[in-house]
PDB file of all heavy atoms in Angstrom:
ATOM      1  N   GLY T 106       6.302 -10.992   6.931  1.00  0.00           N
ATOM      2  CA  GLY T 106       7.668 -10.483   6.843  1.00  0.00           C
ATOM      3  C   GLY T 106       8.666 -11.596   6.587  1.00  0.00           C
ATOM      4  O   GLY T 106       9.595 -11.456   5.795  1.00  0.00           O
ATOM      5  N   ARG T 107       8.441 -12.738   7.228  1.00  0.00           N
ATOM      6  CA  ARG T 107       9.375 -13.845   7.062  1.00  0.00           C
ATOM      7  C   ARG T 107       9.380 -14.347   5.614  1.00  0.00           C
ATOM      8  O   ARG T 107      10.423 -14.648   5.062  1.00  0.00           O
ATOM      9  CB  ARG T 107       9.012 -14.970   8.031  1.00  0.00           C
ATOM     10  CG  ARG T 107      10.247 -15.578   8.650  1.00  0.00           C
ATOM     11  CD  ARG T 107       9.878 -16.594   9.706  1.00  0.00           C
ATOM     12  NE  ARG T 107       9.806 -16.009  11.023  1.00  0.00           N
ATOM     13  CZ  ARG T 107       8.903 -16.365  11.952  1.00  0.00           C
ATOM     14  NH1 ARG T 107       7.995 -17.263  11.701  1.00  0.00           N
ATOM     15  NH2 ARG T 107       8.922 -15.799  13.129  1.00  0.00           N
ATOM     16  N   VAL T 108       8.187 -14.414   5.007  1.00  0.00           N
ATOM     17  CA  VAL T 108       8.124 -14.838   3.603  1.00  0.00           C
ATOM     18  C   VAL T 108       8.904 -13.839   2.735  1.00  0.00           C
ATOM     19  O   VAL T 108       9.705 -14.232   1.881  1.00  0.00           O
ATOM     20  CB  VAL T 108       6.658 -14.948   3.122  1.00  0.00           C
ATOM     21  CG1 VAL T 108       6.597 -15.145   1.613  1.00  0.00           C
ATOM     22  CG2 VAL T 108       5.949 -16.082   3.833  1.00  0.00           C
ATOM     23  N   LEU T 109       8.698 -12.542   2.974  1.00  0.00           N
ATOM     24  CA  LEU T 109       9.429 -11.537   2.195  1.00  0.00           C
ATOM     25  C   LEU T 109      10.938 -11.699   2.382  1.00  0.00           C
ATOM     26  O   LEU T 109      11.714 -11.656   1.423  1.00  0.00           O
ATOM     27  CB  LEU T 109       9.028 -10.123   2.637  1.00  0.00           C
ATOM     28  CG  LEU T 109       7.627  -9.646   2.265  1.00  0.00           C
ATOM     29  CD1 LEU T 109       7.316  -8.319   2.955  1.00  0.00           C
ATOM     30  CD2 LEU T 109       7.508  -9.486   0.757  1.00  0.00           C
ATOM     31  N   GLY T 110      11.328 -11.882   3.629  1.00  0.00           N
ATOM     32  CA  GLY T 110      12.753 -11.989   3.928  1.00  0.00           C
ATOM     33  C   GLY T 110      13.380 -13.225   3.301  1.00  0.00           C
ATOM     34  O   GLY T 110      14.429 -13.155   2.663  1.00  0.00           O
ATOM     35  N   GLU T 111      12.707 -14.356   3.469  1.00  0.00           N
ATOM     36  CA  GLU T 111      13.268 -15.600   2.911  1.00  0.00           C
ATOM     37  C   GLU T 111      13.346 -15.522   1.403  1.00  0.00           C
ATOM     38  O   GLU T 111      14.336 -15.905   0.788  1.00  0.00           O
ATOM     39  CB  GLU T 111      12.354 -16.789   3.271  1.00  0.00           C
ATOM     40  CG  GLU T 111      12.482 -17.224   4.714  1.00  0.00           C
ATOM     41  CD  GLU T 111      11.419 -18.238   5.116  1.00  0.00           C
ATOM     42  OE1 GLU T 111      10.655 -18.713   4.241  1.00  0.00           O
ATOM     43  OE2 GLU T 111      11.340 -18.521   6.311  1.00  0.00           O
ATOM     44  N   GLU T 112      12.282 -14.978   0.822  1.00  0.00           N
ATOM     45  CA  GLU T 112      12.251 -14.944  -0.630  1.00  0.00           C
ATOM     46  C   GLU T 112      13.310 -13.980  -1.175  1.00  0.00           C
ATOM     47  O   GLU T 112      13.995 -14.272  -2.160  1.00  0.00           O
ATOM     48  CB  GLU T 112      10.845 -14.529  -1.083  1.00  0.00           C
ATOM     49  CG  GLU T 112      10.658 -14.774  -2.530  1.00  0.00           C
ATOM     50  CD  GLU T 112       9.329 -15.449  -2.838  1.00  0.00           C
ATOM     51  OE1 GLU T 112       8.856 -16.315  -2.075  1.00  0.00           O
ATOM     52  OE2 GLU T 112       8.769 -15.104  -3.858  1.00  0.00           O
ATOM     53  N   GLY T 113      13.460 -12.833  -0.504  1.00  0.00           N
ATOM     54  CA  GLY T 113      14.474 -11.870  -0.924  1.00  0.00           C
ATOM     55  C   GLY T 113      15.854 -12.487  -0.830  1.00  0.00           C
ATOM     56  O   GLY T 113      16.701 -12.342  -1.716  1.00  0.00           O
ATOM     57  N   ARG T 114      16.075 -13.197   0.239  1.00  0.00           N
ATOM     58  CA  ARG T 114      17.356 -13.868   0.435  1.00  0.00           C
ATOM     59  C   ARG T 114      17.621 -14.874  -0.696  1.00  0.00           C
ATOM     60  O   ARG T 114      18.693 -14.914  -1.273  1.00  0.00           O
ATOM     61  CB  ARG T 114      17.276 -14.596   1.776  1.00  0.00           C
ATOM     62  CG  ARG T 114      18.564 -14.925   2.428  1.00  0.00           C
ATOM     63  CD  ARG T 114      19.151 -13.718   3.083  1.00  0.00           C
ATOM     64  NE  ARG T 114      20.557 -13.937   3.312  1.00  0.00           N
ATOM     65  CZ  ARG T 114      21.187 -13.591   4.418  1.00  0.00           C
ATOM     66  NH1 ARG T 114      20.554 -12.995   5.385  1.00  0.00           N
ATOM     67  NH2 ARG T 114      22.466 -13.813   4.542  1.00  0.00           N
ATOM     68  N   SER T 115      16.589 -15.655  -1.007  1.00  0.00           N
ATOM     69  CA  SER T 115      16.745 -16.659  -2.074  1.00  0.00           C
ATOM     70  C   SER T 115      17.006 -16.000  -3.423  1.00  0.00           C
ATOM     71  O   SER T 115      17.696 -16.560  -4.251  1.00  0.00           O
ATOM     72  CB  SER T 115      15.475 -17.507  -2.211  1.00  0.00           C
ATOM     73  OG  SER T 115      15.150 -18.098  -1.002  1.00  0.00           O
ATOM     74  N   LEU T 116      16.417 -14.830  -3.619  1.00  0.00           N
ATOM     75  CA  LEU T 116      16.513 -14.191  -4.933  1.00  0.00           C
ATOM     76  C   LEU T 116      17.696 -13.214  -5.005  1.00  0.00           C
ATOM     77  O   LEU T 116      17.691 -12.278  -5.806  1.00  0.00           O
ATOM     78  CB  LEU T 116      15.196 -13.491  -5.279  1.00  0.00           C
ATOM     79  CG  LEU T 116      14.011 -14.450  -5.507  1.00  0.00           C
ATOM     80  CD1 LEU T 116      12.694 -13.690  -5.623  1.00  0.00           C
ATOM     81  CD2 LEU T 116      14.238 -15.289  -6.761  1.00  0.00           C
ATOM     82  N   GLY T 117      18.676 -13.413  -4.158  1.00  0.00           N
ATOM     83  CA  GLY T 117      19.923 -12.662  -4.275  1.00  0.00           C
ATOM     84  C   GLY T 117      19.885 -11.255  -3.722  1.00  0.00           C
ATOM     85  O   GLY T 117      20.722 -10.422  -4.078  1.00  0.00           O
ATOM     86  N   GLN T 118      18.948 -10.978  -2.837  1.00  0.00           N
ATOM     87  CA  GLN T 118      18.792  -9.608  -2.325  1.00  0.00           C
ATOM     88  C   GLN T 118      19.286  -9.515  -0.875  1.00  0.00           C
ATOM     89  O   GLN T 118      19.327 -10.505  -0.157  1.00  0.00           O
ATOM     90  CB  GLN T 118      17.319  -9.203  -2.393  1.00  0.00           C
ATOM     91  CG  GLN T 118      16.720  -9.355  -3.776  1.00  0.00           C
ATOM     92  CD  GLN T 118      17.419  -8.471  -4.796  1.00  0.00           C
ATOM     93  OE1 GLN T 118      17.646  -7.288  -4.556  1.00  0.00           O
ATOM     94  NE2 GLN T 118      17.765  -9.046  -5.939  1.00  0.00           N
ATOM     95  N   ASP T 119      19.595  -8.280  -0.477  1.00  0.00           N
ATOM     96  CA  ASP T 119      20.139  -8.054   0.869  1.00  0.00           C
ATOM     97  C   ASP T 119      19.314  -7.084   1.695  1.00  0.00           C
ATOM     98  O   ASP T 119      19.261  -7.193   2.913  1.00  0.00           O
ATOM     99  CB  ASP T 119      21.564  -7.507   0.744  1.00  0.00           C
ATOM    100  CG  ASP T 119      22.384  -8.377  -0.178  1.00  0.00           C
ATOM    101  OD1 ASP T 119      22.644  -9.530   0.176  1.00  0.00           O
ATOM    102  OD2 ASP T 119      22.715  -7.922  -1.304  1.00  0.00           O
ATOM    103  N   VAL T 120      18.717  -6.107   1.017  1.00  0.00           N
ATOM    104  CA  VAL T 120      17.940  -5.081   1.712  1.00  0.00           C
ATOM    105  C   VAL T 120      16.558  -5.061   1.090  1.00  0.00           C
ATOM    106  O   VAL T 120      16.423  -5.021  -0.142  1.00  0.00           O
ATOM    107  CB  VAL T 120      18.594  -3.689   1.573  1.00  0.00           C
ATOM    108  CG1 VAL T 120      17.753  -2.616   2.256  1.00  0.00           C
ATOM    109  CG2 VAL T 120      20.012  -3.690   2.135  1.00  0.00           C
ATOM    110  N   LEU T 121      15.528  -5.086   1.929  1.00  0.00           N
ATOM    111  CA  LEU T 121      14.157  -5.009   1.423  1.00  0.00           C
ATOM    112  C   LEU T 121      13.655  -3.586   1.606  1.00  0.00           C
ATOM    113  O   LEU T 121      13.749  -3.027   2.697  1.00  0.00           O
ATOM    114  CB  LEU T 121      13.253  -5.975   2.199  1.00  0.00           C
ATOM    115  CG  LEU T 121      11.816  -6.022   1.676  1.00  0.00           C
ATOM    116  CD1 LEU T 121      11.752  -6.757   0.348  1.00  0.00           C
ATOM    117  CD2 LEU T 121      10.898  -6.682   2.685  1.00  0.00           C
ATOM    118  N   LEU T 122      13.102  -3.007   0.535  1.00  0.00           N
ATOM    119  CA  LEU T 122      12.576  -1.637   0.609  1.00  0.00           C
ATOM    120  C   LEU T 122      11.124  -1.707   1.085  1.00  0.00           C
ATOM    121  O   LEU T 122      10.179  -1.379   0.377  1.00  0.00           O
ATOM    122  CB  LEU T 122      12.709  -0.962  -0.750  1.00  0.00           C
ATOM    123  CG  LEU T 122      14.144  -0.982  -1.296  1.00  0.00           C
ATOM    124  CD1 LEU T 122      14.206  -0.442  -2.713  1.00  0.00           C
ATOM    125  CD2 LEU T 122      15.087  -0.205  -0.380  1.00  0.00           C
ATOM    126  N   ALA T 123      10.943  -2.160   2.285  1.00  0.00           N
ATOM    127  CA  ALA T 123       9.640  -2.361   2.922  1.00  0.00           C
ATOM    128  C   ALA T 123       9.912  -2.675   4.384  1.00  0.00           C
ATOM    129  O   ALA T 123      11.026  -3.082   4.710  1.00  0.00           O
ATOM    130  CB  ALA T 123       8.899  -3.527   2.259  1.00  0.00           C
ATOM    131  N   PRO T 124       8.929  -2.525   5.269  1.00  0.00           N
ATOM    132  CA  PRO T 124       7.529  -2.163   5.034  1.00  0.00           C
ATOM    133  C   PRO T 124       7.320  -0.652   4.868  1.00  0.00           C
ATOM    134  O   PRO T 124       8.134   0.147   5.307  1.00  0.00           O
ATOM    135  CB  PRO T 124       6.828  -2.629   6.310  1.00  0.00           C
ATOM    136  CG  PRO T 124       7.873  -3.146   7.232  1.00  0.00           C
ATOM    137  CD  PRO T 124       9.207  -2.853   6.663  1.00  0.00           C
ATOM    138  N   MET T 125       6.186  -0.346   4.233  1.00  0.00           N
ATOM    139  CA  MET T 125       5.733   1.041   4.142  1.00  0.00           C
ATOM    140  C   MET T 125       4.705   1.246   5.246  1.00  0.00           C
ATOM    141  O   MET T 125       3.796   0.441   5.389  1.00  0.00           O
ATOM    142  CB  MET T 125       5.095   1.271   2.784  1.00  0.00           C
ATOM    143  CG  MET T 125       4.305   2.554   2.679  1.00  0.00           C
ATOM    144  SD  MET T 125       3.898   2.914   0.967  1.00  0.00           S
ATOM    145  CE  MET T 125       2.737   4.267   1.164  1.00  0.00           C
ATOM    146  N   THR T 126       4.842   2.307   5.985  1.00  0.00           N
ATOM    147  CA  THR T 126       3.903   2.491   7.096  1.00  0.00           C
ATOM    148  C   THR T 126       3.424   3.925   7.240  1.00  0.00           C
ATOM    149  O   THR T 126       3.195   4.409   8.342  1.00  0.00           O
ATOM    150  CB  THR T 126       4.471   1.885   8.404  1.00  0.00           C
ATOM    151  OG1 THR T 126       3.435   1.834   9.366  1.00  0.00           O
ATOM    152  CG2 THR T 126       5.648   2.674   8.927  1.00  0.00           C
TER     153      THR T 126
END
Side-chain angles (χ1 to χ4, degrees):
R107 221 174 268 143
V108 170
L109 289 171
E111 285 171 7
E112 193 134 323
R114 202 78 199 222
S115 304
L116 293 171
Q118 305 298 313
D119 309 294
V120 178
L121 184 73
L122 305 174
M125 167 168 170
T126 192

